[in-house]
Amino acid sequence: MTGLGAGPGGRPFLFGSNPSFADLVAGSAPDAPGSPPPVQSHGEQPAATYSHGTTVLALKYADGVIMAGDRRAVEGFTIADERIEKVFPADEHSAVAIAGAAGQATEIVRLFQTELEHYEKVEGERLSMEGKANRLAQMIRGNFPMALQGLVVVPLFGGFDERRAEGRLFRYDVTGGRWEEADYHSTGSGSLHARGTLKKGWRRGLERTAAVQLAVEALYDASQEDVATGGPNPLRGIYPSVKAMTAAGVEIVPEDEVRAAFQTIVGETHEGVVGGGSQAKEDPD
Amino acid sequence: MSFQPYVPPEQLMKDRSEYARKGISRGKSVVALEYADGLLFLAENPSSTLHKISEIYDRIAFAGVGKYSEFEDLRISGVRLADLRGYSYGREDVTAKTLANAYSQALSAIFTTQMKPYEVEILVGQVGERPEENELFHILFDGSVADEKGFVGMGGRSDELTGHLRDSYRAGESLEGAVRLAAKALSDTEDRPIDAPKLEAAVMDRTRGRRKFRRLDDSEVAEILSSSSVEGGKPPP
């Protein structure tokens, strides 16, 4: 019998079956996205311009984890896309937010999604949250040769851990380093500014409305400081994409809710900067 | 050199078929049938973790009877094929027909070239957007495939089981009705009651999201079966 029960590259497994889809892809097609191409050069700047994802963040709140991302992709000084999606559901209870080279990142996400579903179907149960986080770390590590050529991918991974019944959050670095965060984190070019806002606003056990508002505010602040991060655009109806991960699963936070959060922030900002005191001074009386 | 006596091919195939049939007839049965919202799979299975019915892909489910290790091997190969296809092309390009062909080829090769044939019968079901687009492929141990409509019974006493199903099956049955009908066919065939904990049930429900597969747990099956006396023979609305 050929093919059936065979492992990557047609080699039979010594014992048991490998539930990894990434290994299967790497074994069945050497040029497949799961297997990074050999490094051709070191230390060179990327010659072409690549589409880059920018600010994404995640924070824990009362029911789980909120994950949000801006919608802008840039190629050099050009805005490549104003409606790109950077927060993807990985499975029913977790999501990945990506920053870095957009093409590379979305491919890693696609592979990761298939990996989780494949594992679930082969083994008959879902991977643990820890297992998922580790698997993503290995994939980021696999992308390291590409990162050396400028195609850096740095994700955030978060979700609701069904076994522990709590939200969990992981951050990564280029080499596949993986750290669990206790409260919030952000990544991408505008992440420093977003993190400042998160740091000021984050409290344990935030309610959903407050958490969504904090996420939108952090992204808004990042967009004010970082050119590669897109702010909300009410004129064209472009708002950050926000996802909530709770015991019920991954939920796309409706645009109305995000818009409302943004309007609250705008109202507060407007009052503080334009209204009140400063206008009174200009008054001729 | 070892001495190999001449065995006519007819005899060889007959022996193998007999061997496979015997193996399969020792196992418990599986029923698959179309109902209003998709496909229902029901199996007699005392284990709650070693499944006979599983998800292969978004719209495709798998059921196997016979030797567990062998149909499990086929199931995993099916998941691999489906995920690889879906990843390389697109999710809607993965079809039950592709899988049925692959299974047929594999089982046929095993039947003719291996020491012993697989003692399995498998079912690949795909739920369609509309009832008439449902597909049920029944694949036998020698690789022969049948494209079935409405219902399939396979395993231990499949002829009797199919007979019971033929008498009671009605198109467009509700989920509850279909579960009761399938459970009755299984227990009538075995001439003994089979209660919910001994049944494994799953549906491919077209009203669900991307992944149509859903297992019905014991309590859900028990609830459906216990209400059978109330609306037993009621036709579907």
Side-chain angles (χ1 to χ4, degrees), chain A residues 140-157:
Chain A
I140 300 299
R141 194 169 303 132
N143 187 58
F144 191 56
M146 298 299 280
L148 285 178
Q149 298 187 53
L151 297 179
V152 174
V153 176
V154 188
L156 283 175
F157 175 65

Side-chain angles (χ1 to χ4, degrees), chain A residues 21 110 114 117-118 121, chain B residues 55-61 75 77-103 124-128 133 135 137 204 210 212:
Chain A
F21 180 75
R110 210 160 81 87
T114 316
E117 191 184 312
H118 188 77
K121 288 190 290 198
Chain B
E55 173 189 19
I56 295 267
Y57 210 65
D58 298 351
R59 297 171 295 153
I60 305 170
R75 179 186 75 85
S77 301
V79 172
R80 287 199 176 124
L81 175 70
D83 276 346
L84 211 47
R85 280 286 164 95
Y87 182 73
S88 311
Y89 303 110
R91 296 201 79 92
E92 60 263 50
D93 299 316
V94 181
T95 60
K97 195 181 80 185
T98 311
L99 278 157
N101 278 329
Y103 281 133
V124 178
Q126 174 174 312
V127 60
E133 289 167 1
E135 283 171 16
F137 294 101
M204 296 300 284
R210 178 170 66 80
K212 312 290 187 198

Side-chain angles (χ1 to χ4, degrees), chain A residues 2-220:
Chain A
T2 55
L4 291 176
R11 294 181 303 278
F13 292 113
L14 290 178
F15 191 67
S17 56
N18 186 350
S20 169
F21 180 75
D23 289 357
L24 183 67
V25 173
S28 67
D31 297 335
S35 47
V39 187
Q40 270 133 27
S41 61
H42 287 281
E44 268 181 32
Q45 288 299 310
T49 51
Y50 305 104
S51 184
H52 279 67
T54 27
T55 305
V56 290
L57 59 87
L59 62 127
K60 289 194 191 173
Y61 76 113
D63 305 330
V65 176
I66 290 272
M67 209 176 250
D70 75 303
R71 307 287 296 274
R72 179 175 292 178
V74 293
E75 281 169 13
F77 292 109
T78 310
I79 294 170
D81 197 338
E82 275 285 42
R83 289 176 191 271
I84 201 171
E85 181 63 60
K86 300 175 190 178
V87 185
F88 303 93
D91 64 2
E92 268 147 56
H93 286 87
S94 62
V96 195
I98 51 165
Q104 201 70 12
T106 41
E107 200 49 43
I108 288 178
V109 168
R110 210 160 81 87
L111 188 63
F112 186 55
Q113 288 167 332
T114 316
E115 175 84 7
L116 298 186
E117 191 184 312
H118 188 77
Y119 182 95
E120 183 187 333
K121 288 190 290 198
V122 170
E123 293 293 311
E125 54 190 295
R126 292 199 188 104
L127 259 174
S128 66
M129 197 64 190
E130 201 79 21
K132 292 179 207 171
N134 285 339
R135 203 67 192 100
L136 184 59
Q138 288 156 19
M139 286 181 179
I140 300 299
R141 194 169 303 132
N143 187 58
F144 191 56
M146 298 299 280
L148 285 178
Q149 298 187 53
L151 297 179
V152 174
V153 176
V154 188
L156 283 175
F157 175 65
F160 192 83
D161 189 331
E162 290 172 281
R163 299 179 199 186
R164 291 199 195 174
E166 61 174 8
R168 293 176 74 186
L169 178 58
F170 298 86
R171 73 180 165 97
Y172 295 83
D173 73 4
V174 188
T175 63
R178 188 218 83 166
W179 294 274
E180 181 161 8
E181 287 293 327
D183 29 37
Y184 57 85
H185 200 75
S186 61
T187 177
S189 58
S191 62
L192 277 181
H193 309 291
R195 216 174 302 155
T197 307
L198 288 173
K199 193 174 202 167
K200 286 286 176 210
W202 190 83
R203 302 283 177 271
R204 196 166 298 284
L206 277 177
E207 288 304 316
R208 169 159 158 159
T209 320
V212 170
Q213 196 171 319
L214 180 59
V216 174
E217 188 171 5
L219 284 175
Y220 178 64

Side-chain angles (χ1 to χ4, degrees), chain B residues 8-147:
Chain B
E10 293 88 348
Q11 187 61 43
L12 195 70
M13 293 301 133
K14 202 168 151 257
D15 287 353
R16 288 187 173 184
S17 299
E18 218 158 85
Y19 176 85
R21 279 213 183 87
K22 242 184 223 168
I24 294 164
S25 67
R26 274 194 294 270
K28 298 195 166 52
S29 307
V30 173
V31 169
L33 49 91
E34 297 182 30
Y35 74 102
D37 288 333
L39 304 173
L40 165 76
F41 293 82
L42 195 76
E44 185 187 359
N45 186 357
S47 167
S48 59
T49 45
L50 302 175
H51 298 301
K52 285 178 192 280
I53 305 161
S54 320
E55 173 189 19
I56 295 267
Y57 210 65
D58 298 351
R59 297 171 295 153
I60 305 170
F62 172 98
V65 292
K67 208 165 174 195
Y68 178 77
S69 65
E70 292 173 350
F71 69 72
E72 175 71 3
D73 180 30
L74 292 169
R75 179 186 75 85
I76 292 174
S77 301
V79 172
R80 287 199 176 124
L81 175 70
D83 276 346
L84 211 47
R85 280 286 164 95
Y87 182 73
S88 311
Y89 303 110
R91 296 201 79 92
E92 60 263 50
D93 299 316
V94 181
T95 60
K97 195 181 80 185
T98 311
L99 278 157
N101 278 329
Y103 281 133
S104 165
Q105 297 280 329
L107 282 167
S108 166
I110 292 167
F111 185 74
T112 47
T113 62
Q114 299 280 300
M115 272 288 289
K116 82 166 205 58
Y118 270 18
E119 298 152 68
V120 294
E121 258 180 61
I122 58 175
L123 202 61
V124 178
Q126 174 174 312
V127 60
E129 291 285 320
R130 286 173 295 145
E132 54 275 25
E133 289 167 1
N134 291 342
E135 283 171 16
L136 276 171
F137 294 101
H138 183 184
I139 303 137
L140 301 183
F141 55 84
D142 62 354
S144 46
V145 194
D147 181 359

Side-chain angles (χ1 to χ4, degrees), chain A residues 246-269:
Chain A
T246 63
V250 179
E251 185 206 341
I252 300 170
V253 175
E255 198 181 286
D256 290 348
E257 205 176 324
V258 179
R259 192 189 305 127
F262 174 63
Q263 275 158 0
T264 312
I265 298 159
V266 170
E268 284 168 6
T269 313

Side-chain angles (χ1 to χ4, degrees), chain A residues 270-282:
Chain A
H270 188 81
E271 228 166 79
V273 179
V274 189
S278 60
Q279 259 189 355
K281 265 183 205 164
E282 286 165 24

